[in-house]
Amino acid sequence: MTAKPLVAFTTCAYLKEPYGHPSIDSFDELTELVYAEAEGSPGFIARADYVDDNVEASDFDRDWGVWGPLATPRFYAGGTTATTYSAAQTLSLWRDLESVRRFVYSGLHLHALKNRHTWFRKSNVPTYAIWWVSAGTIPTWTEAGQRIELLADLGPTPTAFDLRAAFDAEGAPVEPRSERLSRNGEDRS
C-alpha cells in the first residue's frame, strides 16, 4: 500500500520595511501566534523552522535542517542580513488541500490576510504556491522559491498552483471550496 501524497505550501510576501522596523512590529507580534495556530490545525504535519539557537543570525545564515538553506524567489529584491531582510516566508506540509484552505481562510491567519496591506507591498507576482509531494518528502526552501516562480511564469499547473485554481494529487483540477467555509472556518455545507 502506497502512502498518500502530501501538500506542500509556501508563502513569500514582501514587507514594506525590514524586520525590526516599527511599522512591521504588529505583524511580527502575530507571527508566532499564527504558527501556533497552524501547528494546532487539523491536517498540519510540519513547518520549516530553525534547528539552531543563533538568534543574532540572519534567516539566511540560520540552520533550517532538512528544509535546506533559506532561499527566495527571484522576485525578492530585499536584503539578506538580519537588519535588511524584508520577506515573510513560510514552508509547511499538510495532509490535504482542504486543511490548507481551512487554515488560510480562518482564525489569526485570516486576520493577518485581511490586514496584509498594512505590512506588505502590493505584488504583481504570486506570494504563495502549493504543490503535491510524495509521503516522506520534505520540500526545501530552494524548491519553494522555484514553485512560486513556476506559478508566476506558467500560471496554475499541477506543478505549482494556488487556492483559486488547485489540482488534486493526480493533476486533475479541483473546484474551489472556500465559499463553503463560514467566517470562522467551519464547513457550511
Side-chain angles (χ1 to χ4, degrees), residues 102-180:
R102 285 181 186 280
F103 167 69
V104 167
Y105 295 118
S106 67
L108 287 175
H109 190 273
L110 178 61
H111 169 73
L113 197 58
K114 287 180 177 180
N115 291 289
R116 68 188 176 274
H117 302 294
T118 303
W119 309 300
F120 297 104
R121 299 173 195 269
K122 185 169 172 53
S123 182
N124 294 327
V125 295
T127 56
Y128 75 95
I130 303 168
W131 68 101
W132 292 92
V133 297
S134 301
T137 299
I138 302 292
T140 65
W141 283 113
T142 298
E143 181 181 13
Q146 291 168 345
R147 297 296 174 135
I148 289 175
E149 291 172 3
L150 282 170
L151 182 57
D153 294 345
L154 305 174
T157 68
T159 305
F161 53 90
D162 58 29
L163 290 169
R164 291 179 303 270
F167 295 83
D168 66 21
E170 288 77 40
V174 295
E175 288 295 316
R177 295 181 59 200
S178 59
E179 70 278 358
R180 293 181 54 198

Side-chain angles (χ1 to χ4, degrees), residues 43-55:
F44 174 85
I45 296 171
R47 71 174 178 88
D49 199 2
Y50 319 120
V51 296
D52 65 16
D53 293 330
N54 188 357
V55 295

Side-chain angles (χ1 to χ4, degrees), residues 12-73:
C12 186
Y14 309 110
L15 293 162
K16 291 179 179 179
E17 300 291 341
Y19 286 100
H21 190 277
S23 67
I24 305 303
D25 285 349
S26 59
F27 170 75
D28 210 15
E29 291 167 4
L30 274 178
T31 301
E32 289 302 319
L33 298 171
V34 172
Y35 287 163
E37 193 170 90
E39 291 168 0
S41 295
F44 174 85
I45 296 171
R47 71 174 178 88
D49 199 2
Y50 319 120
V51 296
D52 65 16
D53 293 330
N54 188 357
V55 295
E56 299 298 318
S58 152
D59 282 357
F60 289 90
D61 297 322
R62 300 289 299 261
D63 182 354
W64 292 86
V66 297
W67 305 88
L70 186 68
T72 57

